[in-house]
Amino acid sequence: MLVLALENHTVCTDLFGYVGIEAVLDQMRRKTMKVGLEFNIMVVGQSGLGKSTLVNTLFKSKVSRKSCTPNCEEKISKTVKLHSVSHVIEEKGMKMKLTVIDTPGFGDQINNENCWEPIVKHINEQYEKYLREELHINRKRRIPDSRVHCCIYFLPATGHRLRPIDVEFMKRVGKIVSIVPVIAKADTLTIEERQEFKERIRQDLAANGIRVYPQKEYDDDPEERILNDRIRESIPFAVVGTDKEHQVNGNKVLGRKTKWGIIEVENVAHCEFANLRDLLIRSHLQDLKDVTHNIHYETYRVRRLNESNMNFSELGLSARPLENGTADTSESESHL
């Protein structure tokens, strides 16, 4: 039955044959597979928490460089530096350009005051870059997307509460990007310690008004709310990362070998790595991109366009049309 809405009247028309509306899904799938996806993920945490290893484990590829921990001959960086690595992953004909932004130097100093400022600056710079491209008179059909879609924040498995640096970082950065907190190297805690630590962290998040992904106000329908409520009950995810395989009951599994046995990374009874992977890739990847575009970027765009000193010349654009009706892009091209 086809339902048509004409002039506020609902008309029900019985179909005599197959129309093929569902074929639109196949069209969208073919187009997406041809164009591919872009996903930009930022990992933040002090050195030695296994950020690179976890990202490599998530995507089962060498997409992130090894630990940034300096050796005895190197000096620890005095400021937070950002390092991006891009990698194209292909699975069953679907290509995804994955960009991992690492933040070496974060939390490694004695005085970590304002150590989040380079991160906030980088995130806003990507919004500004996208805004400039969007405001060009002759803009590209597909604007390259370098905006950060998700920030994984690594918490050390201390078993206590959130540190002041954790609270300040998530308070400030959570307003401009989707944050997913994780407990790094969770195998250093017992199951009971892990549950108590997770509960303390959830209490601290609520007490400080910190918003982590997925936020309740973005739930669109009851089914989505049920799924997201289950995810919110598990946050922060207690994860273990490794790129080594071991034999368990005749099967190869990713895991860490200890003298008590093998900790299987993808076994939900051992850690919550599988839950994190499902959230980032299998169930909420597109939603993370939508929240970035419709919420965080839109907030930035509205603020920038409402600023009193915001004009085309500041953006490096030219609003002066040429005689043939096209825009003068010579000035804007110099800013690309």
Side-chain angles (χ1 to χ4, degrees):
M1 180 176 291
L2 179 63
V3 181
L4 302 176
L6 300 175
E7 296 180 356
N8 297 326
H9 296 287
T10 302
V11 180
C12 298
T13 305
D14 291 328
L15 300 180
F16 295 99
Y18 175 71
V19 174
I21 298 174
E22 65 181 23
V24 175
L25 295 175
D26 292 331
Q27 297 173 35
M28 296 170 64
R29 182 174 180 273
R30 286 196 299 269
K31 185 174 181 179
T32 303
M33 291 186 69
K34 185 182 297 184
V35 175
L37 296 172
E38 291 176 313
F39 190 58
N40 308 315
I41 188 169
M42 175 180 281
V43 290
V44 181
Q46 65 189 59
S47 300
L49 293 182
K51 301 186 295 293
S52 301
T53 302
L54 181 69
V55 173
N56 291 337
T57 309
L58 274 171
F59 298 95
K60 296 187 176 179
S61 303
K62 299 292 184 181
V63 296
S64 183
R65 65 176 186 168
K66 280 296 181 183
S67 175
C68 304
T69 306
N71 58 37
C72 59
E73 297 179 355
E74 296 176 333
K75 292 183 179 180
I76 297 177
S77 175
K78 293 184 179 180
T79 59
V80 178
K81 297 181 180 179
L82 279 76
H83 180 81
S84 298
V85 177
S86 294
H87 190 82
V88 177
I89 301 174
E90 185 171 356
E91 184 179 67
K92 295 183 178 180
M94 173 64 75
K95 292 182 180 180
M96 182 175 75
K97 181 185 177 183
L98 174 70
T99 301
V100 179
I101 304 103
D102 200 357
T103 55
F106 178 86
D108 293 340
Q109 310 301 318
I110 295 176
N111 182 5
N112 289 301
E113 185 178 3
N114 298 328
C115 62
W116 48 79
E117 287 185 351
I119 296 171
V120 172
K121 180 182 177 183
H122 175 81
I123 294 171
N124 285 329
E125 282 176 350
Q126 306 318 304
Y127 290 148
E128 182 72 15
K129 184 178 178 181
Y130 194 92
L131 177 61
R132 289 172 182 265
E133 291 285 354
E134 200 173 50
L135 292 180
H136 283 159
I137 296 175
N138 292 330
R139 62 184 179 185
K140 301 173 183 177
R141 290 185 61 186
R142 189 180 184 205
I143 300 175
D145 191 0
S146 61
R147 297 170 297 181
V148 179
H149 299 125
C150 178
C151 172
I152 303 180
Y153 187 70
F154 286 70
L155 299 165
T158 61
H160 301 296
R161 307 192 81 95
L162 289 179
R163 302 168 300 169
I165 187 175
D166 302 327
V167 173
E168 287 299 319
F169 176 86
M170 288 192 281
K171 254 185 171 181
R172 296 168 187 268
V173 181
K175 298 176 182 178
I176 59 175
V177 73
S178 298
I179 291 183
V180 178
V182 300
I183 300 172
K185 298 186 175 181
D187 52 323
T188 59
L189 299 173
T190 66
I191 300 296
E192 293 77 14
E193 289 172 341
R194 191 173 75 184
Q195 287 304 118
E196 291 175 2
F197 188 34
K198 285 162 65 77
E199 183 58 35
R200 291 193 193 103
I201 291 174
R202 284 193 289 266
Q203 290 173 1
D204 288 347
L205 291 175
N208 290 281
I210 297 172
R211 301 163 62 194
V212 297
Y213 183 85
Q215 292 95 325
K216 285 186 178 181
E217 56 266 33
Y218 302 155
D219 295 344
D220 293 329
D221 55 71
E223 290 184 5
E224 190 175 279
R225 189 176 299 111
I226 292 172
L227 173 61
N228 288 343
D229 282 341
R230 196 179 305 125
I231 294 171
R232 283 186 279 265
E233 290 173 359
S234 299
I235 284 178
F237 297 108
V239 298
V240 178
T242 185
D243 53 4
K244 295 182 179 179
E245 291 184 335
H246 300 277
Q247 288 282 346
V248 176
N249 298 326
N251 299 320
K252 284 187 177 181
V253 298
L254 286 171
R256 296 187 66 242
K257 189 174 182 179
T258 69
K259 63 180 180 180
W260 299 281
I262 294 176
I263 301 168
E264 300 175 34
V265 168
E266 296 178 301
N267 188 337
V268 292
H270 293 184
C271 73
E272 296 172 328
F273 168 84
N275 297 338
L276 174 65
R277 181 188 58 198
D278 290 348
L279 171 70
L280 294 178
I281 305 171
R282 300 183 180 180
S283 64
H284 284 69
L285 187 147
Q286 186 58 48
D287 187 65
L288 282 164
K289 290 168 65 72
D290 291 342
V291 168
T292 299
H293 182 77
N294 298 327
I295 306 297
H296 299 302
Y297 169 69
E298 192 67 17
T299 301
Y300 179 87
R301 188 186 71 86
V302 170
R303 177 174 62 82
R304 287 288 285 134
L305 294 179
N306 282 335
E307 288 177 355
S308 59
N309 61 345
M310 176 74 166
N311 52 46
F312 280 100
S313 60
E314 181 190 352
L315 285 171
L317 305 174
S318 175
R320 179 174 59 84
L322 298 177
E323 292 182 358
N324 62 359
T326 60
D328 182 6
T329 59
S330 59
E331 184 182 355
S332 63
E333 288 175 353
S334 65
H335 291 268
L336 295 180

